[in-house]
Amino acid sequence: AQTVTQSQPEMSVQEAETVTLSCTYDTSENNYYLFWYKQPPSRQMILVIRQEAYKQQNATENRFSVNFQKAAKSFSLKISDSQLGDTAMYFCAFFRIQGAQKLVFGQGTRLTINP
Amino acid sequence: DAGVIQSPRHEVTEMGQEVTLRCKPISGHNSLFWYRQTMMRGLELLIYFNNNVPIDDSGMPEDRFSAKMPNASFSTLKIQPSEPRDSAVYFCASTSRAGGPGETQYFGPGTRLLVL
């Protein structure tokens, strides 16, 4: 079974700083998808960024980018120029293409952006 | 697009009562997922449907839980009888598989359930 590990339960940075959230996963699959979701205090789950495993290029969405290291099974999220609105829980998720097609989530990292 | 719609947003009930959670997926999406979020277990998939057909219900905790999708625009998750340990936030998510597997899942706002 796939597992997703987020080793940082909590992080805190100052506004405008850059922060990197870690995620590792365990799988024997070669093709899969990886996601980062954000959950602000409203509890809404919001997609931040998505990466296809067959793509070597790291995904980027405005201030959000990933460092995808397939061999190391690592998928970190970098937030540049952090803003107060980035304060949220961040979940890394793995999606297996073959067989049972479901998202497997990590335990989350609580990120606080301080003014 | 209105996004995934869930109702009610909050539900407080007493142990032993029946609880029904409702979900309307994004129009045109043909896959629907029910998740449960608790502090202890995090986010876990309960069941998912493709084209209204249940595909994997291995995450449903026990027979007290049941889910239906009578048509492409509506799904229910029912708990009968409810127990305090069912207290959690329940999310519904939908996706279109037209683009192939791994399409992004879009989540509803969740239903916060408290069973007393």
Side-chain angles (χ1 to χ4, degrees):
Chain A
Q2 284 73 27
T3 59
V4 178
T5 302
Q6 294 178 247
S7 59
Q8 306 150 310
E10 293 188 28
M11 296 188 71
S12 178
V13 298
Q14 297 298 119
E15 192 176 7
E17 291 183 347
T18 295
V19 60
T20 299
L21 309 183
S22 301
C23 173
T24 58
Y25 56 94
D26 184 24
T27 184
S28 58
E29 305 285 334
N30 189 50
N31 292 319
Y32 48 87
Y33 295 78
L34 295 163
F35 300 85
W36 278 98
Y37 280 89
K38 165 185 176 180
Q39 187 177 40
S42 67
R43 289 194 174 270
Q44 176 82 45
M45 291 289 287
I46 302 166
L47 175 70
V48 175
I49 201 164
R50 157 197 168 112
Q51 175 81 41
E52 291 86 345
Y54 64 85
K55 290 186 177 178
Q56 293 187 341
Q57 185 173 7
N58 289 322
T60 299
E61 288 287 341
N62 300 314
R63 298 183 294 107
F64 299 87
S65 61
V66 299
N67 183 4
F68 174 48
Q69 301 289 327
K70 191 173 184 180
K73 299 179 183 175
S74 171
F75 182 60
S76 61
L77 174 70
K78 185 171 83 170
I79 305 174
S80 303
D81 186 27
S82 58
Q83 301 175 358
L84 298 179
D86 296 333
T87 293
M89 281 288 287
Y90 285 81
F91 293 94
C92 177
F94 174 98
F95 185 92
R96 178 187 179 197
I97 294 176
Q98 299 297 327
Q101 297 175 343
K102 58 185 181 182
L103 278 173
V104 177
F105 287 89
Q107 287 299 308
T109 295
R110 184 177 302 278
L111 175 65
T112 301
I113 309 299
N114 299 307
Chain B
D1 197 319
V4 176
I5 298 172
Q6 289 187 247
S7 64
R9 295 291 305 275
H10 302 275
E11 177 80 21
V12 181
T13 190
E14 293 187 345
M15 183 174 62
Q17 296 297 307
E18 176 180 295
V19 175
T20 299
L21 311 182
R22 298 173 176 79
C23 175
K24 176 179 169 57
I26 292 172
S27 177
H29 282 190
N30 55 357
S31 292
L32 184 140
F33 305 78
W34 281 102
Y35 291 88
R36 179 171 67 175
Q37 185 178 33
T38 61
M39 288 294 292
M40 291 297 294
R41 300 175 66 89
L43 271 158
E44 50 184 347
L45 178 70
L46 300 178
I47 185 171
Y48 79 93
F49 297 83
N50 279 350
N51 297 315
N52 313 337
V53 176
I55 302 299
D56 184 351
D57 65 354
S58 59
M60 296 285 262
E62 49 197 275
D63 292 344
R64 296 185 298 106
F65 286 69
S66 63
K68 294 181 180 179
M69 192 165 187
N71 56 62
S73 59
F74 183 68
S75 176
T76 59
L77 177 67
K78 185 176 293 186
I79 308 172
Q80 167 63 20
S82 58
E83 297 182 3
R85 61 194 168 118
D86 302 330
S87 297
V89 180
Y90 291 81
F91 288 100
C92 175
S94 72
T95 186
S96 168
R97 306 197 76 79
E103 283 297 312
T104 300
Q105 293 183 22
Y106 294 91
F107 283 73
T111 295
R112 185 176 299 194
L113 173 65
L114 177 62
V115 183
L116 301 174

